[in-house]
Amino acid sequence: MERIPVLNVENLSVSFSQYAGVLRKKQIEAIKDLNVTLYPGEIVAVAGASGSGKSLLAHAILGILPYNASMGGRISYCGNSLTSAQAQELRGKEIVLVPQSVSYLDPLMKVGPQIRKNAKDKPSREKTLEIFNRYGLAAETENLYPFELSGGMARRVLISTAVLEKPKLVIADEPTPGLDAAAAKRVMEHFREIADEGAAVLLITHDLELAIETADRIAIFYAGTTLEEVQASDFAEGLKLHHPYTRALWQAMPRNGMQVPKGI
Ligand SMILES: Nc1ncnc2c1ncn2[C@@H]1O[C@H](COP(=O)(O)OP(=O)(O)OP(=O)(O)O)[C@@H](O)[C@H]1O
Ligand SMILES: [Mg+2]
């Protein structure tokens, strides 16, 4: 039987129109010819320099690109093409985003109701407390406003919000900054559990060690396109890395002596 990918991104391009001078508009291509496929049960990490298009990929999948962006290519979800209207319909339910910025929290809403999307029933409350417990957040966190949270707490609240229900596709955009190593590990273990239950996880991260430990495959982004995609175990050992940029990333890892090649 043919396995159907949870997510298939084919030849994605995202460009922005910007004013160059007073009357002239120019197109800036931020993503070009990008391909990523995620099968059920898989965690695929996306690693790459700042500005290489990682968040844009997440936003394109979720149908939340900025108004001045135009998109080309094809995104399909569980075998059917995913329009931005459908993505918005599924968002927060089957398809969830752990956003890169904690500013995505609603500043005027207490954490508990925000996580539960205002549901007031007992099972929802119990589920909130269960997930708080899992992420080391005290039960009282429910009654706090986002401005009362530390950076690390806010990050854990964002993750809890995304994974409270059973999603089929998790897109986690840099989920671990501000978390200590133990907390980051707990988040990754949870992602693995979610994947083991049949979901797919797209893990956007700068942290290559974390990607190696957690992901099945690693896609390396550079200037809006995938340079190469490798099995995490091959990356860990420096095997089958074809592109000089990928090899440079590998050499620059602390475990490989943080060598910085000339010209990078
Ligand atoms: N609204 C916008 N208008 C014009 N250009 C934009 C807009 N949003 C993003 N870009 C450009 O698209 C490129 C990719 O941005 P993106 O946010 O996806 O990077 P990233 O890989 O997530 O970086 P980081 O690791 O810093 O989060 C950048 O060059 C950025 O300047
Ligand atoms: Mg980003």
Side-chain angles (χ1 to χ4, degrees), residues 151-263:
M153 284 167 85
R155 179 75 52 198
R156 283 178 280 170
V157 166
L158 275 179
I159 297 166
S160 306
T161 311
V163 295
L164 193 65
E165 300 300 329
K166 275 213 164 81
K168 272 196 187 157
L169 174 62
V170 177
I171 299 172
D173 193 354
E174 300 280 2
T176 54
L179 298 185
D180 59 50
K185 191 157 177 274
R186 226 173 301 147
V187 176
M188 293 305 131
E189 282 166 1
H190 196 185
F191 286 167
R192 177 46 74 191
E193 264 173 51
I194 292 171
D196 286 348
E197 285 168 15
V201 179
L202 185 72
L203 171 67
I204 296 172
T205 182
H206 275 107
D207 189 338
L208 278 168
E209 288 288 354
L210 197 74
I212 288 172
E213 272 170 36
T214 315
D216 300 297
R217 287 183 285 128
I218 303 180
I220 306 291
F221 270 32
Y222 185 83
T225 198
T226 318
L227 281 187
E228 63 182 304
E229 204 186 279
V230 276
Q231 296 294 326
S233 50
D234 286 344
F235 195 97
E237 289 162 32
L239 300 171
K240 299 182 191 163
L241 305 180
H242 297 293
H243 199 280
Y245 179 75
T246 319
R247 269 186 263 143
L249 282 180
W250 183 80
Q251 282 173 354
M253 288 177 71
R255 60 160 85 178
N256 304 319
M258 295 200 267
Q259 308 161 54
V260 181
K262 282 194 186 115

Side-chain angles (χ1 to χ4, degrees), residues 63-102:
I64 52 170
L65 285 171
Y67 72 96
N68 62 335
S70 50
M71 191 186 115
R74 200 177 121 89
I75 299 178
S76 54
Y77 171 69
C78 297
N80 299 312
S81 87
L82 182 70
T83 62
S84 64
Q86 283 162 334
Q88 291 190 28
E89 170 77 9
L90 298 171
R91 205 164 75 212
K93 300 172 197 141
E94 287 186 24
I95 304 180
V96 297
L97 172 71
V98 180
Q100 181 169 16
S101 163
V102 292

Side-chain angles (χ1 to χ4, degrees), residues 18-26:
Q18 275 187 348
Y19 281 98
V22 186
L23 290 171
R24 232 165 25 91
K25 267 192 171 181
K26 66 170 185 183

Side-chain angles (χ1 to χ4, degrees), residues 49-56 59 100 173-174 204 206:
S50 187
S52 58
K54 306 182 297 296
S55 294
L56 282 181
H59 296 172
Q100 181 169 16
D173 193 354
E174 300 280 2
I204 296 172
H206 275 107

